[in-house]
């Protein structure tokens, strides 16, 4: 009996561990049949986006359109098993396409099969990076891209995508690299414009953008695709020189490990890091947003495992790296999706098309795919957010613009490096030169506040109160010292005390600790005491370990600014409480 009970407990433990790593098992084990109609409808609606966008974004990545459908199927299945969000939709993404193309096309040298293999290796590397990040609980790395930097990166990417798709929209092709060269090549070949192609492309773009504005719940892409196919057949656009998709290869690839030249692996791995950073940022932000809206919680590290699994699956089935799609997730959410079964329904329908009806979209004009991509690029360029940054914080607007220009003129892959470096520099700059304020007591306002915000605030004669709004560490220690020296030198009344309101100081490293000891001795030599108020307990413990209490009088460390001011009034001004 005991052994049987132990086996049962062990079985439950194994089951729970398995469900922790593969949440889809729990979802389908506890599935409520009442949800089925909603999941089925949402999956059917989702397919109307998945097919045209999958093919379009494959072309954006420099790959055959069919690979976008392979990628769509396997990533939806993988995420349904491993991903924790009931509504998140993964797939080929417009923000990753240019990064993939910039990585694999120079290495492939025009060989399409080699490009597919390289894209598969890249997907496997992205999968390994993101799964590894999930296991190591590194979901916070998405924070390396601040909102202004991310906004600027996507804006630059939008420009790159738009310029790259214009020749396809106009019905001709160019061979140029770099934004300036591509613009020149496009303008130089305008005499080759196929007006049939341009007409059907502009019509499709107008339908997608127009319906998105006046009827956002209407599947504009589906309307554009169906309209273009009907017109293509009726007007025989292929006879007028308009390129069409043609019959897709029937069937589905068997899993295989793609191969690449070992010498290409360092570049592929570097690109995988950048792609992973963008994909992680997309996934965490989108997942968190929909989780808040629907009132559930999502494990960020499990999300990384989910997107990593989707990329690993894509790499094994002639696919390429994927990310979360905010627009497709919104469609699934608006269509009433309840669980990950929505993704499985959509994947099954796409697979059915590939196996049974590969000629379903054979008459779709290629300019329609360009229109789908251009419409996506327009959404990437967040004018409202750039305007908001310009209004509320010019420095962050400049940061976004610099990042956008870097992506547009230096390169897409280099742009992600620029984005991360700019984010790191911005963080360092704010920590190196933080905001500091001299405090006084405004009339009829409790407490002590910034005299720049309260010009009528009263300062106690001979007492300078400084609030330093950042940790004290090696990079800003001298800034702090120089700020104190400046206040002592410019004070109206020679100060007897300098009181540091230390609540915002969350850390003091050894370099800053040594600076404080030297500064205290320097001020003492001038007859000035250095005092502190509102130290956090762990920071006070730090300065005790550094031995600073042997230099700074422990009696001059106070629980509050008010207590320190009262002590000053008593000790220096001789006032009685």
């Amino acid at each position: 009996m005991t052994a049987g009970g132990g086996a049962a407990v062990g079985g439950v433990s194994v089951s729970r561990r398995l469900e922790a790593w593969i949440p889809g098992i729990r979802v389908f084990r506890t599935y409520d049949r009442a949800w089925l109609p909603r999941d089925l409808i949402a999956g059917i609606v989702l397919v109307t986006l998945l097919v045209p966008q999958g093919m379009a974004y494959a072309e954006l990545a420099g790959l055959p359109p069919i690979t976008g459908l392979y990628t769509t199927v396997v990533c939806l299945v993988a995420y349904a098993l491993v991903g924790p969000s009931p509504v998140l939709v993964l797939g080929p993404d417009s923000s990753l396409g240019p990064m993939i193309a910039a990585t694999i096309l120079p290495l492939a040298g025009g060989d399409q099969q080699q490009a597919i293999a390289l894209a598969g290796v890249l997907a496997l590397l992205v999968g390994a990076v993101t799964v590894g990040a999930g296991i190591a609980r590194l979901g916070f790395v998405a924070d390396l891209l601040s909102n202004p930097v991310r906004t600027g990166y996507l804006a630059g990417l939008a420009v790159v995508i738009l310029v790259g798709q214009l020749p396809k929209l106009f019905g001709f092709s160019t061979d140029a690299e770099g934004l300036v060269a591509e613009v020149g090549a496009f303008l130089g070949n305008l005499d080759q414009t196929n007006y049939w192609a341009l007409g059907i492309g502009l019509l499709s773009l107008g339908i997608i953008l127009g319906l998105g504005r006046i009827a956002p719940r209407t599947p504009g892409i589906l309307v554009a695709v169906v309209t273009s196919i009907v017109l293509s057949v009726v007007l025989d656009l292929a006879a007028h020189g308009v390129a069409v998709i043609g019959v897709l290869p029937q069937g589905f690839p068997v899993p295989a490990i793609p191969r690449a030249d070992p010498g290409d692996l360092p570049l592929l791995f570097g690109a995988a890091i950048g792609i992973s950073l963008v994909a992680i940022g997309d996934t965490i932000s989108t997942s968190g947003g929909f989780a808040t809206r629907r009132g559930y919680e999502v494990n960020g590290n499990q999300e990384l495992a989910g997107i990593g699994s989707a990329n690993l699956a894509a790499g094994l089935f002639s696919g390429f790296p994927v990310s979360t799609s905010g627009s497709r997730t919104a469609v699934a959410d608006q269509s009433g999706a309840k669980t990950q079964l929505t993704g499985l329904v959509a994947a099954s329908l796409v697979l059915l098309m590939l196996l049974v009806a590969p000629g379903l979209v054979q008459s779709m004009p290629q300019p329609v795919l360009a229109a789908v991509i251009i419409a996506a690029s327009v959404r990437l360029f967040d004018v409202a957010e750039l305007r908001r940054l310009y209004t509320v914080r010019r420095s962050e607007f400049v940061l976004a613009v610099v990042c956008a220009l870097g992506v547009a003129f230096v390169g897409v892959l280099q742009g992600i490096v620029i984005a991360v470096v700019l984010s790191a520099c911005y963080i360092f700059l704010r920590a190196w030169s933080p905001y500091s304020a001299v405090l006084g007591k405004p009339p009829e306002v409790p407490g002590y506040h910034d005299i720049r915000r309260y010009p009528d605030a009263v300062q106690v004669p001979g007492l300078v109160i400084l609030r330093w709004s950042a940790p004290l560490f090696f990079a800003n220690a001298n800034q702090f010292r120089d700020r104190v020296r400046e206040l002592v030198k410019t004070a109206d009344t020679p100060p007897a005390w300098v009181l540091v309101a230390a609540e915002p100081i969350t850390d003091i490293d050894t370099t800053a600790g040594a600076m404080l000891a030297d500064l205290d001795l320097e001020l003492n030599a001038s007859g000035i005491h250095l005092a502190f108020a509102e130290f956090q307990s762990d920071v006070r413990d730090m300065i005790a370990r550094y031995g600073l209490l042997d230099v700074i009088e422990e009696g001059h460390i106070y629980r509050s600014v008010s207590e320190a001011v009262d002590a000053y009034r008593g000790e220096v001004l001789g006032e009685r409480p």
Side-chain angles (χ1 to χ4, degrees), residues 102-120:
T103 304
I104 65 173
L105 295 186
L107 300 178
D111 185 336
Q112 192 174 81
Q113 291 305 311
Q114 181 63 14
I116 294 173
L118 289 168

Side-chain angles (χ1 to χ4, degrees), residues 337-386:
K338 299 295 291 183
T339 70
Q340 292 91 326
L341 183 62
T342 294
L344 291 181
V345 171
S348 299
L349 292 175
V350 176
L351 179 61
L352 186 65
M353 186 195 80
L354 291 173
L355 297 177
V356 178
L360 190 63
V361 294
Q362 63 180 327
S363 297
M364 184 194 301
Q366 288 278 3
V368 176
L369 296 184
V372 171
I373 295 171
I374 290 173
S377 74
V378 170
R379 296 188 186 98
L380 291 178
F381 202 109
D382 195 340
V383 177
E385 179 62 15
L386 288 170

Side-chain angles (χ1 to χ4, degrees), residues 529-551:
H529 285 293
L530 181 62
F532 296 88
E534 301 177 347
F535 261 140
Q536 297 184 27
S537 57
D538 57 334
V539 177
R540 182 177 176 128
D541 293 341
M542 286 178 195
I543 65 172
R545 288 198 303 272
Y546 297 161
L548 287 181
L549 298 184
D550 297 334
V551 179

Side-chain angles (χ1 to χ4, degrees), residues 187-243:
L187 296 176
N189 287 276
L190 281 175
D191 58 339
Q192 300 180 28
T193 299
N194 182 316
Y195 290 98
W196 290 94
L198 179 60
I200 196 68
L202 290 178
L203 175 64
S204 300
L205 185 59
I207 291 172
I208 296 169
L209 296 179
L211 288 179
R213 179 174 292 273
I214 64 176
R217 290 183 176 272
T218 303
I221 292 178
L222 175 63
V223 174
V225 167
V226 172
T227 302
S228 69
I229 291 176
V230 170
L231 290 176
S232 177
V233 173
V234 172
L235 301 175
D236 195 11
L237 292 180
H240 292 284
V242 178

Side-chain angles (χ1 to χ4, degrees), residues 220-304:
I221 292 178
L222 175 63
V223 174
V225 167
V226 172
T227 302
S228 69
I229 291 176
V230 170
L231 290 176
S232 177
V233 173
V234 172
L235 301 175
D236 195 11
L237 292 180
H240 292 284
V242 178
V244 295
I245 296 297
V247 178
L248 297 173
Q250 188 170 20
F252 200 77
V254 296
I257 298 177
R259 299 185 181 277
D261 189 310
D264 295 336
L265 291 179
L267 176 60
L268 291 171
F269 183 74
I273 296 294
I275 291 172
S276 298
L277 195 59
V278 174
I280 289 171
D282 279 344
T283 300
I284 297 298
S285 59
T286 304
S287 175
F290 280 92
T292 300
R293 180 185 303 179
R294 287 192 161 209
Y296 62 85
E297 293 186 3
V298 169
N299 184 325
N301 294 307
Q302 185 64 42
E303 283 289 12
L304 298 189

Side-chain angles (χ1 to χ4, degrees), residues 8 34 65 71 83 85 152 199 247 264 294 324 344 356 415 423 497 569:
T71 302
S85 172
V247 178
D264 295 336
R294 287 192 161 209
T324 300
L344 291 181
V356 178
S423 283
W497 279 24
R569 289 182 180 278

